[in-house]
Amino acid sequence: MNCTKSRGQHGFTLIETMVTILILSVGLLGFAGLLTKSIVANRQAYYRSQATFLAHDIAERMRANRVEAVAGGYNTALNSAVSTTSFAGEDMAGWKTNVADYLPEGDAVVSVDTLGNVGVVIHWNDANDGTSKSFTTQTTI
């Protein structure tokens, strides 16, 4: 039994292994980048969902207390303190606390006219890219 090796075959499996490792590492890096983008997009969608829920929450609170709402009891601006001397004020104080708790640096503007047209704008800071995001909705109570 003659076990002679051909001269052209030395190191060929080492090159195959190195190429395989290179291809695998590029694929894993691509997957890691995709996973990172997915996590960021998921967080942004979560914040937008929270803002949607909060906007509908304040609209329902105003529908339950329409008299104070059309009288301006729910009107508020950004970075404003809310008076808790009325039921609407207590409602708004609790709601603005929820906005600040559920959204990073969350704050909101609510405006109601005498016809019951409501505008809600909710702002928050997106920590991923450092930009301010907002959600706006309009409804009638």
Side-chain angles (χ1 to χ4, degrees):
M1 182 153 141
N2 191 358
C3 291
T4 60
K5 291 186 180 178
S6 169
R7 290 183 184 243
Q9 295 295 319
H10 292 291
F12 186 69
T13 55
L14 180 61
I15 293 173
E16 286 178 337
T17 304
M18 290 173 55
V19 168
T20 302
I21 290 173
L22 177 69
I23 290 171
L24 182 63
S25 61
V26 168
L28 288 174
L29 282 173
F31 181 71
L34 180 66
L35 187 62
T36 302
K37 293 276 188 192
S38 172
I39 290 170
V40 168
N42 191 23
R43 183 175 297 141
Q44 290 173 348
Y46 171 76
Y47 289 146
R48 187 160 298 278
S49 295
Q50 291 300 316
T52 303
F53 168 75
L54 289 163
H56 288 260
D57 179 42
I58 194 61
E60 292 302 318
R61 290 177 189 221
M62 286 187 280
R63 283 186 182 103
N65 190 11
R66 190 174 196 286
V67 173
E68 279 191 77
V70 296
Y74 285 87
N75 291 348
T76 186
L78 287 176
N79 301 317
S80 66
V82 179
S83 171
T84 58
T85 58
S86 66
F87 182 76
E90 289 180 20
D91 231 2
M92 281 304 294
W95 182 75
K96 284 193 86 162
T97 299
N98 288 343
V99 170
D101 288 345
Y102 292 129
L103 298 170
E105 300 177 33
D107 202 0
V109 175
V110 176
S111 61
V112 185
D113 66 13
T114 56
L115 299 175
N117 298 312
V118 177
V120 179
V121 182
I122 300 175
H123 297 275
W124 69 93
N125 186 21
D126 188 354
N128 295 317
D129 59 8
T131 61
S132 178
K133 305 288 185 186
S134 65
F135 175 81
T136 304
T137 189
Q138 296 178 344
T139 189
T140 303
I141 58 169

